[in-house]
Amino acid sequence: PAAGEGAKGLRSFAADYSGKSGAPGLFAVADKITGGHRKVWVFQAPRNKDTQLEIDGNTFTLTRADATFKATVISPPDAKVEAVKGPLPAIPASGILAAPGSAIHVTSADGNAGEFLVVFTLQRGNAPAVTIDGAGLNAKVGVGPQTLHFDGQNLVIGP
C-alpha cells in the first residue's frame, strides 16, 4: 500500500494449505492504514503472453494453462480494481520506486479508505465460491466451506 507521509499501517497475512477451502492454496492479506494521503493497494502481477488477466467487479483472476489464481477484494466494499501496465510510476511519498512490469491497483471510490482485505486462491480450474458476511475488515469471509476473519490484529482462518 502507498499512503504517503505520516501514514501508519498494520499488515496481516494468512495461508491455508489444508484444502478445506476447495483450493490447494488459500491466502489472505489485511492492511489497515491511517494517516497519509490517497491509499492504493498494489499487487505486482506477472503479465506475459502465457498469462491471462481478467478483472470482474471486485475480483481479478490470473490464468496460465489450467492453473488459476483468483483474488477477491473484500474491503473496501466499493473497491475499484484496475490493471496498470508498466512501467510502474514511483510514489515518492511512500518510498516506492519506479519499476518495470504490471500491477493491479485497488482503491476505494474516494481514494482515501485505508482498510484493505483481499483473499486469494490458487487452484487448477475454477476457484471456490467466496461469500462475504458483513463489510470491510469486520467481514466474515467464506471460501468454500473454510472461513476467515480479521480480529483487529490478525487474520484468523477457521471458526
Side-chain angles (χ1 to χ4, degrees), residues 40-56:
V40 179
W41 191 88
V42 179
F43 179 83
Q44 300 289 330
R47 300 282 298 282
N48 58 48
K49 64 181 175 75
D50 298 325
T51 304
Q52 304 302 314
L53 169 65
E54 179 184 344
I55 296 175
D56 183 16

Side-chain angles (χ1 to χ4, degrees), residues 20-159:
K20 184 176 178 183
S21 68
L26 165 63
F27 313 96
V29 174
D31 288 319
K32 188 172 186 177
I33 307 163
T34 57
H37 306 289
R38 183 172 183 269
K39 289 133 182 108
V40 179
W41 191 88
V42 179
F43 179 83
Q44 300 289 330
R47 300 282 298 282
N48 58 48
K49 64 181 175 75
D50 298 325
T51 304
Q52 304 302 314
L53 169 65
E54 179 184 344
I55 296 175
D56 183 16
N58 68 328
T59 69
F60 64 91
T61 305
L62 295 166
T63 303
R64 185 169 183 171
D66 67 342
T68 58
F69 180 80
K70 184 170 184 177
T72 303
V73 179
I74 310 301
S75 182
D78 63 352
K80 177 182 176 187
V81 180
E82 62 185 330
V84 179
K85 293 186 180 180
L88 301 175
I91 305 173
S94 69
I96 295 176
L97 304 176
S102 300
I104 304 297
H105 284 189
V106 175
T107 56
S108 65
D110 70 4
N112 292 314
E115 295 185 350
F116 297 91
L117 174 55
V118 184
V119 174
F120 308 90
T121 59
L122 179 62
Q123 59 276 311
R124 293 196 185 281
N126 294 327
V130 174
T131 59
I132 305 167
D133 180 16
L137 291 183
N138 294 320
K140 307 293 184 216
V141 181
V143 182
Q146 185 62 285
T147 62
L148 67 92
H149 69 278
F150 181 68
D151 70 5
Q153 291 290 316
N154 299 294
L155 280 162
V156 178
I157 294 179

